[in-house]
Amino acid sequence: EKAADTGSAAAMYDLFQLYNLDDPKLADPDKALHWIHEAIDHGSAEAAFRLALLYRDGKLVPKDEAQMRVWLQRAVDSGHAYSGK
């Protein structure tokens, strides 16, 4: 969390992944969503792409095709290599 607190988008994304685990000792949906949004706000194209997938699948967030498209476009705009295909 120290690295995330200093502005590291990679550390923020790592925290999202940690709190998004299926391990009941670590899982925390609120923290996972907080950190994925922080990573996106700090320029992580991968986080934007992953959030699009969450909306596609209805995991952590309600299934929502319109939101999926919003975040997919944000991933493209941020330079994500696979989201524009």
Side-chain angles (χ1 to χ4, degrees), residues 18-57:
L18 174 71
Y19 291 124
N20 192 39
L21 292 173
D22 289 332
D23 182 341
K25 293 179 185 175
L26 298 173
D28 187 325
D30 292 333
K31 286 183 179 180
L33 287 172
H34 167 78
W35 286 114
I36 198 168
H37 282 285
E38 287 292 318
I40 292 166
D41 290 346
H42 284 81
S44 174
E46 182 63 28
F49 180 69
R50 184 64 183 275
L51 186 55
L53 297 180
L54 292 175
Y55 276 107
R56 179 196 70 189
D57 299 336

Side-chain angles (χ1 to χ4, degrees), residues 2-4 13-14 16 20 27 29 33 36-38 41 43 52 54 58-59 62 67 71 74-75 78 84:
K2 282 184 180 182
Y13 186 72
D14 287 346
F16 154 72
N20 192 39
L33 287 172
I36 198 168
H37 282 285
E38 287 292 318
D41 290 346
L54 292 175
K59 298 201 175 172
Q67 283 296 311
W71 292 108
R74 178 104 180 244
S78 297

